[in-house]
Amino acid sequence: MDLINAMPAVLERFPDTILLIAGHGLFESKLKKRVKELNLERHIKILGRREDVPDLLIIADLFVFPSYFEGLPGSIIEAMLAEKIIVCSDIPENQECVTGETAIFFSRGNGAQFSEKIIYALENQQDLKILGEKARKVAKQNFDIHNIAEEYEETYNEVLRKA
């Protein structure tokens, strides 16, 4: 809902912006209702469950993630691997994946700051590309299944040596 509520401010500065929201859940009908209330059907597309998220990331200029709570934010990791500029809430789970060198943070629930950060990212896309490039490197290092498997194997071998 925070993202939908942020869109009028974003559209004032970038009137051709299209927001794609992929995913589904109990809140979907409330989101659609809010889009309609704001008369933003032309600018906000709620896509539901998608199998083509990598394709959506390819066409995206930014990845925006205003989550209040997460486990491991897999969608942020996907955006990192796609080298996207990431604008996300400052919750601890997000900060475990990205830092100020790989993403732009805003205070969770702060709608004005959220809008400002999105606008800043859109205004400075060329300069901020480096964030996405760094994010991909971090994701490959920290979340690649082969690297994780090697780390587990090293840990198990170390435990076995001490036994």
Side-chain angles (χ1 to χ4, degrees):
M1 193 65 72
D2 288 347
L3 184 49
I4 290 169
N5 290 332
M7 282 301 288
V10 171
L11 290 166
E12 281 182 30
R13 179 69 177 86
F14 294 94
D16 295 329
T17 301
I18 302 291
L19 170 64
L20 303 176
I21 300 176
H24 73 287
L26 300 174
F27 208 54
E28 190 172 343
S29 62
K30 290 180 182 180
L31 296 177
K32 288 179 179 178
K33 181 181 177 195
R34 183 65 177 150
V35 169
K36 193 173 190 104
E37 288 171 357
L38 294 173
N39 195 27
L40 294 176
E41 296 95 330
R42 250 186 35 162
H43 297 280
I44 300 176
K45 309 297 179 193
I46 299 176
L47 306 174
R49 177 173 282 187
R50 298 294 291 239
E51 299 293 325
D52 61 345
V53 170
D55 295 329
L56 296 174
L57 285 169
I58 288 170
I59 64 170
D61 293 323
L62 306 176
F63 176 80
V64 184
F65 198 63
S67 185
Y68 278 51
F69 308 100
E70 284 298 317
L72 176 66
S75 54
I76 283 187
I77 296 168
E78 287 181 83
M80 293 170 75
L81 290 167
E83 290 189 20
K84 292 299 154 183
I85 299 167
I86 298 168
V87 178
C88 64
S89 56
D90 62 355
I91 63 172
E93 297 84 356
N94 291 347
Q95 291 180 6
E96 286 182 30
C97 295
V98 289
T99 67
E101 292 185 8
T102 55
I104 299 166
F105 290 105
F106 67 94
S107 298
R108 177 187 73 179
N110 185 331
Q113 186 184 60
F114 185 31
S115 298
E116 290 170 14
K117 298 292 183 168
I118 294 169
I119 292 166
Y120 170 78
L122 289 170
E123 287 175 337
N124 297 284
Q125 287 182 64
Q126 279 306 112
D127 294 336
L128 295 173
K129 277 186 155 192
I130 189 74
L131 296 178
E133 293 166 6
K134 287 181 181 180
R136 180 175 171 79
K137 289 177 186 171
V138 169
K140 288 185 71 128
Q141 177 185 333
N142 294 345
F143 303 109
D144 179 84
I145 190 66
H146 300 296
N147 291 343
I148 293 169
E150 283 180 32
E151 287 179 28
Y152 273 108
E153 186 174 355
E154 288 172 18
T155 300
Y156 288 133
N157 286 336
E158 187 177 318
V159 168
L160 289 173
R161 281 193 298 273
K162 290 181 181 179

